């Protein structure tokens, strides 16, 4: 288990703040020992939490041309037929994974293919589990085209606490299933839009593991 690169700056800032608080208590209070004991304990717990949030686990990936692997850790909150109006502009099957603050927040490409579209859109910061979050919250949309011509859209969505979406995808590049797509900080959601007729193997309420759980198959 390692710390993801997106967490380096945050952990450094958190460390400096906690170190400053504890140093100030030590030098400014007449009898710092009782207070300092508790602040040191709390500081260690907070530092451990932030390190855990930015954890980057080592995982094997399921490589199969028509399999759709989960792009994130979390819970399935949506499985439904809907319209995707940004890129596909047609009916498709939407599968949404909600990530709590306790989940790993790395995002992975659910399938291999060529990146045909990448666009970041500013928006609101509503709770990510709400249905309207997909179209109203700050988000980044990535469209992939498989070797068989199928088009799959992956959308990173910021949540009530998330304030930064990181996306590594670039238009025109060829990506491999299971490669890192990006990172979202502090609670968020990832939507996948699949062609109608795709087989879906998950259901609302089910927990999935990014890069490993198969959520469905292209026809």
């Amino acid at each position: 288990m390692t710390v993801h690169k997106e967490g380096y700056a945050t952990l450094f800032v958190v460390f400096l703040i906690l170190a400053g608080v504890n140093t100030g208590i030590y030098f400014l209070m007449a009898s710092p020992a009782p207070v300092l004991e508790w602040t040191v304990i709390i500081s260690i717990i907070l530092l451990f939490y932030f390190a855990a949030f930015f954890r980057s686990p080592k995982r094997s990936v399921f490589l199969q041309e028509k399999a759709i692997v989960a792009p994130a850790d979390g819970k399935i909150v949506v499985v439904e037929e809907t319209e995707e109006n940004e890129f596909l502009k047609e009916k498709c099957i939407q599968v949404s994974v909600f990530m709590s603050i306790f989940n790993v927040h790395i995002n992975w490409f659910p399938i291999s293919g060529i990146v045909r579209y990448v666009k970041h859109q500013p928006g609101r910061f509503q709770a990510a589990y709400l249905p309207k979050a997909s179209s109203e919250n700050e988000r980044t949309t990535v469209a992939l085209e498989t070797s068989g011509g199928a088009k799959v859209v992956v959308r990173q969505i910021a949540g009530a606490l998330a304030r930064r979406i990181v996306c590594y995808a670039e238009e025109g590049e060829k990506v491999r299933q299971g490669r890192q797509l990006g990172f979202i900080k502090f609670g968020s959601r990832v939507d996948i839009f699949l062609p109608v007729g795709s087989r879906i193997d998950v259901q609302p309420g089910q927990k999935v593991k990014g890069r490993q759980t198969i959520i469905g198959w292209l026809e």
Side-chain angles (χ1 to χ4, degrees), residues 6-185:
E6 298 297 339
Y8 294 166
T10 300
L11 287 173
F12 182 66
V13 171
V14 170
F15 175 78
L16 288 180
I17 292 173
L18 295 175
V21 169
N22 285 281
T23 301
I25 291 173
Y26 180 79
F27 285 106
L28 298 178
M29 292 189 68
S31 301
V35 177
L36 191 61
E37 181 178 340
W38 282 106
T39 57
V40 168
I41 293 173
I42 293 171
S43 296
I44 292 173
I45 292 173
L46 286 174
L47 197 60
F48 177 80
Y49 166 75
F50 278 98
F53 177 85
F54 288 103
R55 65 192 182 277
S56 180
K58 292 183 179 180
R59 294 180 182 171
S60 57
V61 60
F62 186 92
L63 294 173
Q64 214 284 344
E65 184 180 359
K66 292 190 175 183
I68 304 292
V69 298
D73 284 14
K75 183 172 70 173
I76 300 294
V77 291
V78 174
V79 177
E80 64 182 14
E81 188 171 301
T82 187
E83 292 270 350
E84 198 291 309
N85 295 315
E86 184 175 343
F87 178 80
L88 297 174
K89 302 186 186 303
E90 62 184 15
K91 284 188 176 182
C92 56
I93 300 174
Q94 176 183 340
V95 179
S96 300
V97 181
F98 175 73
M99 295 178 285
S100 76
I101 59 173
F102 301 106
N103 290 125
V104 171
H105 273 60
I106 302 169
N107 302 147
W108 293 272
F109 287 103
I111 199 164
S112 300
I114 298 175
V115 178
R116 296 300 188 192
Y117 176 88
V118 179
K119 186 173 182 179
H120 177 81
Q121 293 182 308
R124 303 173 67 183
F125 295 99
Q126 306 172 96
Y129 58 79
L130 295 174
K132 57 185 177 181
S134 182
S135 58
E136 295 183 6
N137 279 22
E138 181 166 331
R139 59 200 180 276
T140 296
T141 301
V142 178
L144 305 170
E145 183 175 359
T146 71
S147 58
K151 293 181 175 63
V152 175
V153 167
V154 183
R155 182 168 295 148
Q156 299 172 285
I157 303 169
L161 295 177
R163 288 295 184 271
R164 187 181 177 206
I165 296 174
V166 180
C167 182
Y168 306 137
E170 296 181 2
E171 285 189 33
E173 72 170 330
K174 189 173 183 179
V175 297
R176 190 179 184 186
Q177 186 180 56
R179 203 193 85 181
Q180 287 193 20
L181 182 152
F183 196 99
I184 315 177
K185 296 184 178 181

